[in-house]
């Protein structure tokens, strides 16, 4: 297609997209019904419940009888006790059992003998399941191998009592290595620890990873009804099922995401919280695992039945050292090797046991919420005034960059004066509670430079125009955020000295990658990006925060930095992932000293303490084949503490579904808008954006906002206390103030506890 034809096609496509967005999303206005808070949205044809049986939704719970508890054998001795738990250990096998004194239910670290006999395990897995420790190690040939306590000649060198538990000194004779394992009861939790100072290695074999009691709560096939919870994106379940496919691989989620300096290009998923869990009978027995020490170099690994064994099991895997490819020439010659020094950190998991109505994924989320509160990492917002209508994120694209005869030029998409026009347009439709984020405000536009840098782009109005916009918004009580990141920089950025400031990978190479994987112009194909050393990130953010303070800007909208965590192996100033977290927390604290608010996109939980607003909250899982349900774990943890917003609705493939999902998950809406027409982006890196011109989207914005506002305005400061799925495609969320919101995704009307819920709609029950 020629460039001359493209603008015409883009204009036509934009108009059709805008029309289709509105028609597909609604086709009718949202009608407020004061009795039950119903909304009326256009229906699709009858499709039955089939679409809602997919793992993109949460499945109804099937009624289950009481789960029989294990008997504690005579050779297990009590080694710890609290108000609600008793801890037992077998001296012979080091296996443990934990009894919930309130219910009598017993959790075991190994399956029972009958399950082991029927599982038809090979010799390797027979020893693995009976071992208290699984590990990987590098042998004398620097090859990665697997083993366990029994297969590697494990023996006990001594035990000593610790408070409400024991410390066991272990030797792996085959490896000529050893460590200590601590198991104890602490504050009604089971705590399992590998102390770093206890580890020793004297031979050529080096420990690569460790797992302690990985089969705690394991279930053979579907002998016990229930599921595993994994922290995949917003959260997912793997239900125990006898009839399933044979899966090739387990779930492996690197806590806080892939570290490309250590993990290479392997994608280990998006995991923003260090948790996992197991339920034995929903509403009966559950356990939440929280990875504490060592979590920055750990993975959550979950094996469905059918992967290697007939057991479902989930466990954290702690990295002790990383392997990597060391190039020796530009032609990619080289060799595989590994870190000679181990990562210096303790490794610890805390297990919190749940019972009754709290024994499900909702109870796990509430338990983790309480855990973070007690540690001071989740602080409830102090309201300065009562909330009325829910907020909406208004993302405004200011300037973009496109190639020209002289290198690059800025394409103004929304000047600061034009931003006022958009805000006025929204106000006419009753949308006044906005959080306005300026993207591409900087010299060169959005993708002219990364990180964005001052001065303010003159084509948008410059610093004076930005101050005027700030004053205008302040009069309407609308905060103004500037968008930036401090983790990724373009190679030509004049803010970075790449010899000293760029992150280096484990093989000492600079961590470099192409930023744009698309584009109509070769101009952007060779733009390379590099990760910024965390100490430099802190310095850059502090400089910018002082500039923003002078401009009177309300806050920083921080992208990438809140969701990306890397090490730096630069020998002059190395950073572990844990040290990077400390630097990013310092960065966040510095920003908040200069501006009122910090908003973070897809924030990992170590930044929640500093996060006033959470932008870009996802609402789904990865939908791997073995995942059976998607659940709003993150949303349950955060609701009532940090306001969180969806991705822009004008980028959604199914806006109506997206709106109902927002209501179900308690998320607030967002739109990415421009004043100028979309076709002006045709030669920029933002060519992949969908309809953005505000005049094309006025009605869809109004309908989306009105629906979400009608549903969520009563529960903005309330916490989520329960969520049930009475039928396929139906969810009911109960809040701490007594309000219950029922969402009907299906094309058939539904009656919930005597309340009618229209198809493709919702009902609000209770509240003043």
């Amino acid at each position: 297609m020629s460039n001359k034809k493209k603008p015409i096609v883009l204009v036509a496509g934009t108009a059709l997209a805008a029309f289709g967005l509105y028609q597909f999303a609604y086709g009718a206005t949202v009608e407020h019904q004061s009795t039950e808070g119903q909304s009326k949205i256009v229906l699709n044809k009858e499709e039955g419940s089939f679409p809602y049986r997919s793992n993109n939704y949460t499945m109804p719970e099937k009624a289950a009888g009481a789960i029989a508890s294990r008997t504690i054998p005579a050779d297990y001795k009590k080694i710890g006790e609290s108000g609600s738990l008793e801890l037992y250990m077998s001296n012979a096998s080091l296996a443990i059992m934990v009894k919930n004194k309130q219910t009598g239910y017993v959790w075991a670290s190994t399956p029972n003998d009958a399950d082991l006999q029927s599982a038809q395990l090979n010799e390797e897995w027979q020893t693995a399941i009976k071992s208290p420790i699984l590990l990987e190690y590098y042998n004398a040939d620097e090859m990665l191998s697997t083993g366990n306590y029994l297969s590697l000649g494990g023996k006990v060198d001594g035990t000593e009592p610790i408070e409400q538990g024991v410390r066991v000194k272990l030797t792996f004779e085959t490896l000529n290595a050893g460590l200590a394992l601590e198991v104890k009861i602490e504050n009604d939790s089971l705590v399992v620890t590998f102390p770093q100072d206890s580890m020793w290695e004297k031979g050529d074999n080096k420990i690569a990873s460790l797992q302690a009691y990985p089969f705690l709560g394991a279930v053979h096939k579907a002998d016990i009804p229930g599921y595993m919870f994994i922290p995949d994106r917003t959260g997912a379940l793997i239900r125990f099922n006898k009839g399933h496919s044979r899966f090739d691989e387990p779930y492996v989620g690197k806590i806080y995401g892939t570290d490309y300096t250590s993990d290479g290009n392997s994608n280990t998923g998006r995991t923003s919280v260090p948790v996992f869990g197991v339920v034995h009978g929903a509403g009966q027995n559950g356990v939440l695992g929280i990875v504490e020490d060592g979590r920055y170099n750990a993975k959550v690994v979950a094996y469905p039945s059918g992967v290697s064994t007939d057991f479902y099991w989930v466990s954290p895997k702690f990295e002790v050292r990383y392997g990597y490819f060391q190039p020796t020439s530009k032609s990619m010659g080289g060799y595989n090797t590994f870190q000679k020094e181990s990562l210096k950190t303790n490794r610890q998991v805390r297990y919190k046991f749940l019972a009754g109505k709290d024994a499900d994924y909702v109870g796990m989320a509430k338990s983790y919420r309480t855990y973070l509160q007690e540690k001071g990492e989740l602080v409830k917002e102090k309201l300065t005034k009562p909330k009325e209508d829910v907020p909406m994120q208004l993302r405004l694209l200011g300037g973009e960059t496109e190639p020209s005869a002289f290198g690059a030029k800025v394409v103004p998409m929304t000047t600061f004066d034009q931003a006022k026009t958009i805000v006025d347009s929204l106000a006419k439709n009753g949308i006044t509670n906005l959080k306005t984020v300026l993207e591409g405000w900087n010299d060169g536009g959005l993708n002219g430079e990364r990180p964005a840098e001052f001065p303010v782009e003159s084509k948008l109005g410059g610093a004076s125009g930005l101050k005027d916009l700030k004053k205008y918004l302040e009069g309407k009580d609308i905060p103004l955020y500037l968008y930036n990141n401090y983790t990724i920089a373009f190679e030509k950025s004049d803010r970075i000295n790449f010899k000293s400031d760029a992150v280096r990978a484990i093989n000492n190479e600079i961590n470099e990658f192409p930023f744009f994987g698309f584009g109509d112009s070769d101009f952007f194909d060779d733009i390379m990006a590099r990760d910024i050393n965390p100490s430099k990130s802190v310095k850059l953010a502090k400089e910018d925060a002082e500039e923003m303070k002078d401009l009177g800007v309300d806050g920083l909208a921080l992208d990438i930095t809140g969701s990306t965590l890397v090490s730096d192996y630069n020998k002059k100033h190395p950073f572990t992932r844990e040290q990077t977290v400390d630097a990013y927390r310092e960065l966040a604290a510095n920003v908040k000293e200069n501006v009122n608010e910090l908003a973070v996109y897809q924030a990992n939980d170590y930044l929640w303490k500093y996060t006033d607003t959470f932008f870009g909250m996802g609402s789904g899982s990865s939908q791997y084949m073995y995942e059976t349900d998607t659940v709003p774990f993150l949303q349950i943890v955060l609701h009532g503490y940090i306001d969180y917003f969806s991705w822009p609705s004008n980028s959604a493939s199914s806006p109506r579904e997206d709106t109902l999902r927002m209501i179900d998950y308690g998320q607030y809406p967002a739109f990415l808008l421009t004043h100028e027409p979309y076709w002006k982006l045709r030669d920029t890196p933002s060519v992949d954006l969908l309809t953005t011109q505000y005049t094309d989207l006025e009605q869809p914005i109004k309908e989306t906002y009105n629906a979400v506002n009608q549903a969520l305005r009563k529960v903005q400061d309330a916490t989520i206390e329960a969520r049930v799925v009475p039928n396929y495609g139906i969810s009911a969320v109960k809040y701490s103030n007594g309000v219950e919101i029922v969402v009907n995704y299906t094309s058939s009307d539904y009656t919930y506890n005597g309340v009618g819920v229209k198809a493709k709609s919702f009902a609000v029950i209770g509240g003043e």
Side-chain angles (χ1 to χ4, degrees), residues 17 34 52 76 173 265:
S34 58
Y52 311 103
Y76 280 70
E173 292 187 325
N265 292 322

Side-chain angles (χ1 to χ4, degrees), residues 261 323-338 504-510:
T261 67
Y324 60 96
F325 178 78
Q326 181 62 60
T328 57
S329 68
K330 293 182 179 180
S331 60
M332 292 307 295
Y335 57 93
N336 290 315
T337 186
F338 58 86
R504 289 185 178 269
I506 193 171
N507 59 9
N508 201 41
E509 293 188 330
I510 289 179

Side-chain angles (χ1 to χ4, degrees), residues 297-324:
N297 292 283
K299 302 172 182 175
V300 173
V301 179
Y303 276 72
S305 172
V307 178
S308 303
T309 76
D310 289 335
F311 288 94
Y312 288 91
W313 58 281
V314 59
S315 166
K317 176 189 282 189
F318 293 101
E319 304 282 2
V320 175
R321 49 172 54 85
Y322 290 101
Y324 60 96

